[in-house]
């Protein structure tokens, strides 16, 4: 589930990316510009992502590879990634009173994927929180700087000492 893909994308990939944006339950890719007349969720096309706001020219030519593969985000691991960890363990125990080694290994793999997905979602939410604050003060920073700020805030929260 790691890696990225870059445009141009096939029709199947565009359809999968669109489905991911609307149905995955994960925060969608959004435009890096701060002011919009429309919601800033990016729209996939054969040549990459674009902002739907006609006044905006924001483009992005990459996506996470798993986003273009519905099988990677529509199964048991993906559902587990969107639920609290305690629910995942309870459901697993209820499904199998005596799980075999393969089932335990599959569960542990699903749990690891859930943790990775939760970490990516947390980082995306922190990144998207920076934009409105900058816009409020009429400030604009490159996306890389916004990500550094978001990462610094998350690091401070995670390591308060």
């Amino acid at each position: 589930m790691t890696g990225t893909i870059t445009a141009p994308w096939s029709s199947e990939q565009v359809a999968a990316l669109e489905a991911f944006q609307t149905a995955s339950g994960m925060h969608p890719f959004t435009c890096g510009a701060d002011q919009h007349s429309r919601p800033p969720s990016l729209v996939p096309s054969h040549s990459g992502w674009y902002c739907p706001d006609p006044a905006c020219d924001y483009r992005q030519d990459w996506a996470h590879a798993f986003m273009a593969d519905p099988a990677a985000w529509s199964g048991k691991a993906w559902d587990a990634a969107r639920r609290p960890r305690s629910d995942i363990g309870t459901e697993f125990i209820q499904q199998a009173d005596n799980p075999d080694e393969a089932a335990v290994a599959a569960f542990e793999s699903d749990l690891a994927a859930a943790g990775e997905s939760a970490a990516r979602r947390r980082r995306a939410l922190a990144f998207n929180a920076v934009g409105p604050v900058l816009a409020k003060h009429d400030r604009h920073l490159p996306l890389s700087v916004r990500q550094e700020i978001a990462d610094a805030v998350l690091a401070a929260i995670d390591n308060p000492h």
Side-chain angles (χ1 to χ4, degrees):
M1 267 206 301
T2 60
T4 59
I5 57 172
T6 56
W9 295 320
S10 69
S11 297
E12 293 80 16
Q13 288 174 310
V14 171
L17 293 170
E18 176 64 25
F20 182 88
Q21 282 285 85
T22 58
S24 71
M26 189 171 169
H27 191 279
F29 275 172
T30 56
C31 178
D34 292 324
Q35 298 178 6
H36 292 91
S37 63
R38 294 184 179 178
S41 291
L42 297 180
V43 177
S45 71
H46 294 284
S47 60
W49 299 99
Y50 68 91
C51 179
D53 190 323
C56 184
D57 62 357
Y58 182 81
R59 301 288 183 266
Q60 179 174 312
D61 69 348
W62 66 274
H64 298 289
F66 75 90
M67 295 169 68
D69 180 11
W73 54 263
S74 62
K76 180 177 161 188
W78 187 258
D79 291 339
R82 297 184 343 205
R83 288 194 308 270
R85 287 180 174 249
S86 61
D87 290 351
I88 298 168
T90 302
E91 179 182 299
F92 180 74
I93 291 168
Q94 289 171 347
Q95 287 178 356
D97 292 333
N98 297 308
D100 61 13
E101 288 183 32
V104 171
F107 171 70
E108 289 173 348
S109 175
D110 289 350
L111 193 58
E116 292 171 14
S117 178
R120 282 192 305 272
R121 183 176 189 280
R122 183 174 182 255
R123 189 171 187 232
L125 290 171
F127 173 81
N128 287 331
V130 173
V133 174
L134 293 172
K136 178 180 171 186
H137 298 285
D138 199 29
R139 302 280 188 229
H140 304 281
L141 294 174
L143 295 177
S144 60
V145 175
R146 286 173 53 189
Q147 188 64 65
E148 287 182 46
I149 292 168
D151 288 343
V153 169
L154 290 174
I157 291 169
D158 293 341
N159 303 306
H161 304 316

